[in-house]
Amino acid sequence: MMINNQLNYVRIFDTTLRDGEQSPGATLTSPEKLEIARALARIGVDVIEAGFPTASPDDLEAVRRIAIEVGQSSGPDGELPIICGLARASKGDIDKAWEAVRHAPKPRIHTFLATSEIHMKHKLRLDPEEVVDRVVEMVAYARSFCEDVEFSPEDAGRSDPKFLYVVLEEAIKAGATTLNIPDTVGYTTPDEFGALIAGIIENVPGIENVIVSTHCHDDLGLATANTLAGIRAGARQVEVTVNGIGERAGNTSLEEIVMGLRTRRPLLNIDTGIDTTQLTRISRMVSTYTGILVPPNKAIVGANAFAHEAGIHQDGMLKHQSTYEIMLPETVGLSQSNLVLGKHSGRHAFKVRLNELGYDLNQDDLDRAFVRFKALADKKKAITDADLEALLTDELYQPRQIFSLDGLQVTCGTMGMPTATVRLKEEGGKIHVHAAVGEGPVDAAYKAIDAIAKVANTLLEFSVHAVTEGIDAQGEVTVRIQPQDGDSVTHAQRNGGLPRTYGGYGADTDIIVASVKAYLTAINRLLTSEINSSEAQDLTRVNAVTKA
Amino acid sequence: MMINNQLNYVRIFDTTLRDGEQSPGATLTSPEKLEIARALARIGVDVIEAGFPTASPDDLEAVRRIAIEVGQSSGPDGELPIICGLARASKGDIDKAWEAVRHAPKPRIHTFLATSEIHMKHKLRLDPEEVVDRVVEMVAYARSFCEDVEFSPEDAGRSDPKFLYVVLEEAIKAGATTLNIPDTVGYTTPDEFGALIAGIIENVPGIENVIVSTHCHDDLGLATANTLAGIRAGARQVEVTVNGIGERAGNTSLEEIVMGLRTRRPLLNIDTGIDTTQLTRISRMVSTYTGILVPPNKAIVGANAFAHEAGIHQDGMLKHQSTYEIMLPETVGLSQSNLVLGKHSGRHAFKVRLNELGYDLNQDDLDRAFVRFKALADKKKAITDADLEALLTDELYQPRQIFSLDGLQVTCGTMGMPTATVRLKEEGGKIHVHAAVGEGPVDAAYKAIDAIAKVANTLLEFSVHAVTEGIDAQGEVTVRIQPQDGDSVTHAQRNGGLPRTYGGYGADTDIIVASVKAYLTAINRLLTSEINSSEAQDLTRVNAVTKA
C-alpha cells in the first residue's frame, strides 16, 4: 500500500495556535503567536495551523504575519513550514483563509464539514446529500486558490464509515490533498480509531494519492494511543498541540507522539522531522504565553517526568540510569546544569548562557536584560535557567506600554485595611498616582490601577508560582482578564461568538510587584488590541477596495 | 476462559497513598492519608494500597490507622475495602506490612521483586534462579500471615515473557492470590501490553485461580490505553491513582479508567464499583493535600474537561448537549449551580450546602466554619462551592497548632525594603513578635516566622491561585518545605533514602496572609512529625518487646 513517497515519515501538523488557542483562557496576542510560530518552525514542525482567520480581523492579521514572517523560516532539515489557515465550508471563510496564508511560500487551506448524524442533524441541519455537495463545492473552491487543500469530516469518529468513504472520495476528486480524520469528541478507543483509518485507506478510491491525517482529543485519556494507532494503520500526518492543550481535555500532545515514536523506533519504524532537544523549551514558552500550567506528572515535559531531575539522592538511578529511565533528559533539551549564574557573572557569561538556551537577542534587548539580571543577582544567590527564562519573558515579550509601573507602595496584613498606592506613567510621560483600599494587597493595587486606566474588566484567573526553590525565589504571576464590553471572536465549530480575554505575566522577587506587572501587561494588551482592532478593520476595508 | 466468578467486574486498586505519594513533593501527613483513605472507601475503591510500612515508623503507623479506621467503612455497594501494605521481597518488610494491615477485616500483603534482566543485573544483583527462589520463599512467608497475597514482578514490561511465566507459576504455587503486572517504566504500547497480559493468561498454569492485575505508568502518555488493553486481555484488577499522580509521569488515572469503561460500556462490557459522582470531589481533595495541581485540560477532572463549564455562551452546545459532550458533568459530580451562597445566607442554608458537597461536620466544626463563612461573605459578594471547599480545607484539616498566627503587618512595593511584622501564639499561650526585612513581602514574613519557630528549612515550592473569578477572590497558597536535618524515608524501589518534605495550605482574600498561614501549617506539620516520630519509635520498641 503506497501512501506517499516517504513511507516512514509522519508529518507533524501543529495546531497549538488554532485548536490550542481555543482552550478557555488561552487567548494569545499577535506577537505571542508569532513567537510560538517561529519556535514551531525552528523545532521542525511540517505544518503550522496558524489560526482561524474568520474569527476576527486580529486573527486574520496574525495568520497573515505568520505566513509572511515565519513561512520563510526553514526548520532543522532545511524545509520551509507549510502555513495553514482554517475555514468552515463557506466561500467567505475560504476567502479569508486564502487572504491570510497566500503570502507563505507553502500555503494551505484547511476546510471542514461535519459528517456524523448528530452534527449534520443538530448543528448543520443538512441532509447527507447536501453535505456531500457542500464538501465538493468548497474543496474545489479552495483548490481554485491553493494547490494544497486539507479537508476534515468533523466528528468522523462518530460518523457512519460508509458515508465517510463517499464524502472522502468526493473530496479527493474535488482536489483535496490531505484528508484529516478527527475524533472531535475524544470518544474512540485505539482499536476503533486504528480500524477507522485502516477502513478509509482500504475503501476510499484515490486515497493512495493523498495524505491521511489524524486529529484526536483526550476526553477519555486516549489521544496519544489513538494517534499512534492511526499511524500504524497508515496515517502519515498527525495533528497535535504543544503540551496537549485544546478545548475540553485538549488535543494529542506533540511531545508525547514525537518521543513515543523515537523511544519505540525499533518497534514502530516511523520518523518525524522534529528536533527533540527543543521540546522542553517550546513547552515552557507555550505554558507561559497561554497561562496553562503543565502539571509535574505530565509525560515528557512535566517537572517530574525525568526521575533524576527531582534533585534527590537516588542510589539505584546513579548506578544504572536505564533502570528507571527510558529516555535521556538531554534528548528533550532538559539541561543537566541547573545552577548557572550568580552575582559575579559577567555580561559574556550571561550572553553565552542565553545563546545556549536558544535566545539570540539584539544589543538593545541584551543590555536591558543584563541590567535586570544584575538587579536579580543582587537579591538572589543562584540564578538558574528558569530564572533567566522568567526574566526574559517578563522583559522582552511585553506589549506596547500604554501604562508602565513607576512606583508601588503597599501595606497589608491581618490588622488593618490593605492599601496600595500606585504610580503609573502613561505613554507621552504623564504621571498618575492613585491609592485604593481592597480585600487584600493585590485587590487594592488592581483597584488603584483600574481607577487610573479606566478599563472595566473581570479578573478571570490569577496564579503565582515560585520560579525556583528557596525563600528568595522570584514569583511568576499569570493573570487573565475579560473586558466588560469587549470584542467577541467567531468560533470555528460552534454557532455564536466567544468573548476575547487578555493574559498578563510578571516576575519579581516581590509577588505584589509581580502581580501588578502582570495586571498592567494584561491591561496594556487589552488597550493595544482595541487600537489595533480598529486599525485592522480599516485595513480590511482598504484591501477589499483594492481587490474590487 | 474463567478468570473469576465475576467475569465483567474490574477491581479498582488505588495506590494514591503509596505510588502516588512517592511523587516528588507529594508527601502527605497521617491525618491527610486517613482523610483520603476514607474518601477512597466512600467512592467504592475495592483495594486501598495504604502505604509502604517499611518506609518509616510514621508510614507504618499511618497504614495501621487506615487498617483500623477505614477497613470498617463500607463503600456504595456495602463491601468493605481491602487494606493493602507494600513490602519488598524480604521478611523484615513483610513483617512490617503485616503489622500494619492485620487489624483490617480484609488485609492484603503486596510483595514484589524485579524480573527484567536490567533490574536483576544492576539493582538486585541476583541470577534468575535466585529471583525465583526468593519469590517462592517470600510469597509463602506472606501467605503464612495473610490469605490475600499479591505479587508483582517489577519491570514486567521489559522482562522475558518465558521467564515471567515461570516466576508467576511459582508465585501461584507459593500462595499468591493476585498477580500484578507492572509496566514500571511506562515503556509499552497498548498492543504490547495487551499481548503481555494475554500471554500470561494463556501460558501460566493455575492462572485461572488468581486475579491478574495491571499497573501502568504514563511516561509515553499511554497508561490509560495500556490499562484498557490489559482489561480487554483479561485483567480483572487495575492499579490506579487519583489524578494519575505518581513517580515521573505518574500512574494510570483512576477517573480516566472508570469513566472510559462507563462511557464505552456497550463496547467494553465491563463494570467497576465506583460511584462516579464523587470523582470531582476526590480529585480536588488529592490535589489540595498533595499540592499537585490538576491542569485545566486534564481528562474528566480538569477545569475545562466539560465544555459548558467554561461559563461561555455556547449556542451549539445549548441546542444539543451531546454534539460536543460524551459525558454529562453531573456524572462526575460537577455541580451545575456554581453560585450558591452570599452575605445573607443563614446557618441552615450553609449546612445544607455543605451536606450536598459531601461534608458532614460536627457542631463544633460547623460553628467554626460558619464564622469563617460570614467573615468571607462580608468581603466577597458571591460564595461558590470552590470557596466553601477552600474555607473548609483551611479550617478543618489543620495539624496541631504549635504556632498560630496572631497578627501580621506588611509593607512592600517598589520603593522601599519589604518588611513584615509577625505575631505568633505558641501552644500554652506565649506570644512572640518579630519583624524582618526580605526580598519581597512573603520572604520577609517567612524570615520573621523562622526567627520565632527556629526550624531550619528550604522552601521547595510556593504557589498561589485564585479560588474563583473576580478581583475579590480568595487566594489559595500551597507551600512545601524540607527540613535541613530531617528524617529520611526508605524508598520501595530504589536503594537509599529520600528526605521527607512537608506541605502547607492557606486561603485568604489577602494573599500575604494566605502565604503566612500556609507556611505556618507546614512548619506545624514538621514540628508535629518530629514529636510523633520519636513517639512512634518508642511505640515500635514497646511492640517489639511485647511480641518477643
Side-chain angles (χ1 to χ4, degrees), chain A residues 342-465:
Chain A
K343 201 171 173 168
H344 303 293
S345 304
R347 183 183 298 258
H348 181 70
F350 179 69
K351 186 166 186 282
V352 166
R353 189 65 204 141
L354 289 191
N355 288 347
E356 284 169 5
L357 288 173
Y359 291 94
D360 186 16
L361 307 190
N362 62 36
Q363 197 56 45
D364 252 25
D365 285 343
L366 187 69
D367 289 345
R368 280 192 298 143
F370 188 68
V371 171
R372 283 284 302 269
F373 163 72
K374 289 307 262 187
L376 180 63
D378 274 344
K379 297 184 187 173
K380 187 171 187 299
K381 270 182 295 190
I383 312 285
T384 68
D385 290 349
D387 280 318
L388 290 180
E389 300 210 342
L391 185 156
L392 289 174
T393 306
D394 185 71
E395 186 66 37
L396 300 180
Y397 305 137
Q398 288 293 341
R400 186 171 147 189
Q401 302 264 308
I402 294 174
F403 289 102
S404 57
L405 181 65
D406 196 50
L408 172 72
Q409 181 178 297
V410 170
T411 322
C412 64
T414 58
M415 296 156 180
M417 290 162 287
T419 306
T421 312
V422 170
R423 193 170 63 215
L424 300 184
K425 190 188 279 179
E426 194 174 346
E427 265 187 345
K430 190 175 174 196
I431 298 288
H432 305 260
V433 182
H434 198 91
V437 179
E439 300 309 339
V442 176
D443 182 30
Y446 286 13
K447 279 184 176 143
I449 292 171
D450 285 346
I452 298 170
K454 297 189 177 61
V455 191
N457 73 80
T458 306
L459 184 68
L460 296 179
E461 281 173 37
F462 175 86
S463 70
V464 187
H465 82 272

Side-chain angles (χ1 to χ4, degrees), chain B residues 424-494:
Chain B
L424 299 185
K425 190 188 281 179
E426 196 174 347
E427 265 188 344
K430 190 175 173 198
I431 297 287
H432 305 261
V433 181
H434 199 92
V437 179
E439 300 309 340
V442 177
D443 183 29
Y446 286 14
K447 279 185 176 143
I449 293 171
D450 285 346
I452 298 171
K454 296 187 177 65
V455 191
N457 72 80
T458 306
L459 183 69
L460 296 179
E461 282 172 36
F462 174 87
S463 70
V464 186
H465 82 272
V467 174
T468 53
E469 289 181 9
I471 203 164
D472 60 352
Q474 292 187 88
E476 273 186 320
V477 177
T478 310
V479 301
R480 194 154 297 279
I481 62 174
Q482 183 179 309
Q484 262 164 38
D485 306 300
D487 288 351
S488 71
V489 291
T490 306
H491 191 285
Q493 290 158 295
R494 301 195 189 116

